[in-house]
PDB file of all heavy atoms in Angstrom:
ATOM      1  N   LEU A  50      -2.977   7.599  -2.149  1.00 97.00           N
ATOM      2  CA  LEU A  50      -3.038   6.235  -2.428  1.00 97.00           C
ATOM      3  C   LEU A  50      -2.996   5.397  -1.106  1.00 97.00           C
ATOM      4  O   LEU A  50      -3.564   4.369  -0.968  1.00 97.00           O
ATOM      5  CB  LEU A  50      -1.863   5.767  -3.333  1.00 97.00           C
ATOM      6  CG  LEU A  50      -1.933   6.259  -4.775  1.00 97.00           C
ATOM      7  CD1 LEU A  50      -0.718   6.027  -5.595  1.00 97.00           C
ATOM      8  CD2 LEU A  50      -3.120   5.449  -5.494  1.00 97.00           C
ATOM      9  N   GLN A  51      -2.087   5.901  -0.181  1.00 96.00           N
ATOM     10  CA  GLN A  51      -1.986   5.136   1.026  1.00 96.00           C
ATOM     11  C   GLN A  51      -3.255   5.250   1.830  1.00 96.00           C
ATOM     12  O   GLN A  51      -3.537   4.239   2.556  1.00 96.00           O
ATOM     13  CB  GLN A  51      -0.816   5.713   1.862  1.00 96.00           C
ATOM     14  CG  GLN A  51       0.524   5.347   1.276  1.00 96.00           C
ATOM     15  CD  GLN A  51       1.686   6.071   1.941  1.00 96.00           C
ATOM     16  OE1 GLN A  51       1.600   6.998   2.619  1.00 96.00           O
ATOM     17  NE2 GLN A  51       2.818   5.433   1.815  1.00 96.00           N
ATOM     18  N   ALA A  53      -6.262   5.213   0.656  1.00 97.00           N
ATOM     19  CA  ALA A  53      -7.277   4.397  -0.061  1.00 97.00           C
ATOM     20  C   ALA A  53      -6.870   2.943  -0.028  1.00 97.00           C
ATOM     21  O   ALA A  53      -7.692   2.012  -0.325  1.00 97.00           O
ATOM     22  CB  ALA A  53      -7.444   4.922  -1.386  1.00 97.00           C
ATOM     23  N   CYS A  54      -5.653   2.512   0.230  1.00 96.00           N
ATOM     24  CA  CYS A  54      -5.180   1.226   0.072  1.00 96.00           C
ATOM     25  C   CYS A  54      -5.626   0.273   1.156  1.00 96.00           C
ATOM     26  O   CYS A  54      -5.750   0.707   2.304  1.00 96.00           O
ATOM     27  CB  CYS A  54      -3.541   1.264   0.140  1.00 96.00           C
ATOM     28  SG  CYS A  54      -2.882  -0.365  -0.048  1.00 96.00           S
ATOM     29  N   PRO A  55      -6.077  -0.926   0.745  1.00 93.00           N
ATOM     30  CA  PRO A  55      -6.554  -1.921   1.737  1.00 93.00           C
ATOM     31  C   PRO A  55      -5.391  -2.696   2.314  1.00 93.00           C
ATOM     32  O   PRO A  55      -5.603  -3.506   3.211  1.00 93.00           O
ATOM     33  CB  PRO A  55      -7.521  -2.808   0.852  1.00 93.00           C
ATOM     34  CG  PRO A  55      -6.928  -2.827  -0.471  1.00 93.00           C
ATOM     35  CD  PRO A  55      -6.342  -1.323  -0.651  1.00 93.00           C
ATOM     36  N   HIS A  56      -4.223  -2.338   1.972  1.00 93.00           N
ATOM     37  CA  HIS A  56      -2.961  -3.010   2.488  1.00 93.00           C
ATOM     38  C   HIS A  56      -3.045  -4.515   2.466  1.00 93.00           C
ATOM     39  O   HIS A  56      -3.052  -5.169   3.466  1.00 93.00           O
ATOM     40  CB  HIS A  56      -2.640  -2.542   4.001  1.00 93.00           C
ATOM     41  CG  HIS A  56      -2.751  -1.136   4.059  1.00 93.00           C
ATOM     42  ND1 HIS A  56      -2.120  -0.142   3.359  1.00 93.00           N
ATOM     43  CD2 HIS A  56      -3.545  -0.294   4.990  1.00 93.00           C
ATOM     44  CE1 HIS A  56      -2.352   1.043   3.726  1.00 93.00           C
ATOM     45  NE2 HIS A  56      -3.324   1.009   4.712  1.00 93.00           N
ATOM     46  N   PRO A  57      -3.097  -5.068   1.171  1.00 92.00           N
ATOM     47  CA  PRO A  57      -3.419  -6.477   1.054  1.00 92.00           C
ATOM     48  C   PRO A  57      -2.126  -7.407   1.373  1.00 92.00           C
ATOM     49  O   PRO A  57      -2.368  -8.543   1.663  1.00 92.00           O
ATOM     50  CB  PRO A  57      -3.692  -6.626  -0.479  1.00 92.00           C
ATOM     51  CG  PRO A  57      -3.053  -5.412  -1.048  1.00 92.00           C
ATOM     52  CD  PRO A  57      -3.104  -4.410  -0.091  1.00 92.00           C
ATOM     53  N   GLU A  58      -0.948  -6.821   1.374  1.00 93.00           N
ATOM     54  CA  GLU A  58       0.245  -7.637   1.684  1.00 93.00           C
ATOM     55  C   GLU A  58       1.193  -6.785   2.354  1.00 93.00           C
ATOM     56  O   GLU A  58       1.704  -5.750   1.858  1.00 93.00           O
ATOM     57  CB  GLU A  58       0.792  -8.276   0.328  1.00 93.00           C
ATOM     58  CG  GLU A  58       1.897  -9.303   0.653  1.00 93.00           C
ATOM     59  CD  GLU A  58       2.476  -9.921  -0.595  1.00 93.00           C
ATOM     60  OE1 GLU A  58       1.988  -9.618  -1.738  1.00 93.00           O
ATOM     61  OE2 GLU A  58       3.404 -10.692  -0.531  1.00 93.00           O
ATOM     62  N   VAL A  59       1.601  -7.242   3.450  1.00 94.00           N
ATOM     63  CA  VAL A  59       2.530  -6.446   4.307  1.00 94.00           C
ATOM     64  C   VAL A  59       3.799  -7.242   4.646  1.00 94.00           C
ATOM     65  O   VAL A  59       3.743  -8.430   5.031  1.00 94.00           O
ATOM     66  CB  VAL A  59       1.807  -5.953   5.636  1.00 94.00           C
ATOM     67  CG1 VAL A  59       2.854  -5.364   6.537  1.00 94.00           C
ATOM     68  CG2 VAL A  59       0.614  -5.066   5.257  1.00 94.00           C
ATOM     69  N   CYS A  78       3.597  -1.827   3.746  1.00 95.00           N
ATOM     70  CA  CYS A  78       2.646  -2.395   2.791  1.00 95.00           C
ATOM     71  C   CYS A  78       3.377  -2.476   1.429  1.00 95.00           C
ATOM     72  O   CYS A  78       3.982  -1.470   0.941  1.00 95.00           O
ATOM     73  CB  CYS A  78       1.511  -1.415   2.683  1.00 95.00           C
ATOM     74  SG  CYS A  78       0.327  -1.980   1.298  1.00 95.00           S
ATOM     75  N   LEU A  79       3.356  -3.644   0.850  1.00 95.00           N
ATOM     76  CA  LEU A  79       3.991  -3.798  -0.428  1.00 95.00           C
ATOM     77  C   LEU A  79       3.392  -3.144  -1.627  1.00 95.00           C
ATOM     78  O   LEU A  79       3.898  -2.997  -2.697  1.00 95.00           O
ATOM     79  CB  LEU A  79       4.232  -5.401  -0.687  1.00 95.00           C
ATOM     80  CG  LEU A  79       5.061  -6.132   0.425  1.00 95.00           C
ATOM     81  CD1 LEU A  79       5.088  -7.606   0.069  1.00 95.00           C
ATOM     82  CD2 LEU A  79       6.334  -5.464   0.506  1.00 95.00           C
ATOM     83  N   GLN A  80       2.078  -2.769  -1.414  1.00 95.00           N
ATOM     84  CA  GLN A  80       1.321  -2.141  -2.498  1.00 95.00           C
ATOM     85  C   GLN A  80       1.473  -0.642  -2.424  1.00 95.00           C
ATOM     86  O   GLN A  80       1.751  -0.057  -3.450  1.00 95.00           O
ATOM     87  CB  GLN A  80      -0.163  -2.459  -2.373  1.00 95.00           C
ATOM     88  CG  GLN A  80      -0.907  -2.013  -3.566  1.00 95.00           C
ATOM     89  CD  GLN A  80      -2.337  -2.593  -3.609  1.00 95.00           C
ATOM     90  OE1 GLN A  80      -2.405  -3.916  -3.597  1.00 95.00           O
ATOM     91  NE2 GLN A  80      -3.333  -1.768  -3.710  1.00 95.00           N
ATOM     92  N   CYS A  81       1.395   0.055  -1.367  1.00 97.00           N
ATOM     93  CA  CYS A  81       1.379   1.472  -1.139  1.00 97.00           C
ATOM     94  C   CYS A  81       2.632   2.064  -0.476  1.00 97.00           C
ATOM     95  O   CYS A  81       2.757   3.232  -0.430  1.00 97.00           O
ATOM     96  CB  CYS A  81       0.076   1.993  -0.573  1.00 97.00           C
ATOM     97  SG  CYS A  81      -0.026   1.814   1.171  1.00 97.00           S
ATOM     98  N   LYS A  82       3.390   1.151   0.024  1.00 96.00           N
ATOM     99  CA  LYS A  82       4.578   1.555   0.841  1.00 96.00           C
ATOM    100  C   LYS A  82       4.377   2.333   2.086  1.00 96.00           C
ATOM    101  O   LYS A  82       5.311   2.947   2.601  1.00 96.00           O
ATOM    102  CB  LYS A  82       5.537   2.400  -0.101  1.00 96.00           C
ATOM    103  CG  LYS A  82       5.850   1.689  -1.412  1.00 96.00           C
ATOM    104  CD  LYS A  82       6.680   0.388  -1.185  1.00 96.00           C
ATOM    105  CE  LYS A  82       7.106  -0.196  -2.474  1.00 96.00           C
ATOM    106  NZ  LYS A  82       8.071  -1.343  -2.416  1.00 96.00           N
ATOM    107  N   LEU A  83       3.125   2.241   2.680  1.00 96.00           N
ATOM    108  CA  LEU A  83       2.951   2.842   3.914  1.00 96.00           C
ATOM    109  C   LEU A  83       3.819   2.060   4.980  1.00 96.00           C
ATOM    110  O   LEU A  83       3.828   0.756   4.992  1.00 96.00           O
ATOM    111  CB  LEU A  83       1.378   2.758   4.407  1.00 96.00           C
ATOM    112  CG  LEU A  83       1.105   3.329   5.744  1.00 96.00           C
ATOM    113  CD1 LEU A  83       1.231   4.887   5.784  1.00 96.00           C
ATOM    114  CD2 LEU A  83      -0.216   2.914   6.239  1.00 96.00           C
ATOM    115  N   LEU A 105      -1.501  -1.171   9.600  1.00 91.00           N
ATOM    116  CA  LEU A 105      -0.955  -2.493   9.083  1.00 91.00           C
ATOM    117  C   LEU A 105      -1.070  -3.686   9.912  1.00 91.00           C
ATOM    118  O   LEU A 105      -0.680  -4.740   9.549  1.00 91.00           O
ATOM    119  CB  LEU A 105       0.486  -2.195   8.691  1.00 91.00           C
ATOM    120  CG  LEU A 105       0.731  -1.026   7.607  1.00 91.00           C
ATOM    121  CD1 LEU A 105       2.198  -0.868   7.292  1.00 91.00           C
ATOM    122  CD2 LEU A 105      -0.120  -1.160   6.413  1.00 91.00           C
TER     123      LEU A 105
HETATM  124 ZN1   ZN B 215      -1.115  -0.317   1.452  1.00 97.39          ZN
END
Side-chain angles (χ1 to χ4, degrees):
L50 288 170
Q51 289 177 337
C54 181
H56 313 305
E58 189 177 0
V59 173
C78 173
L79 299 177
Q80 187 168 308
C81 74
K82 305 293 186 176
L83 179 71
L105 304 179

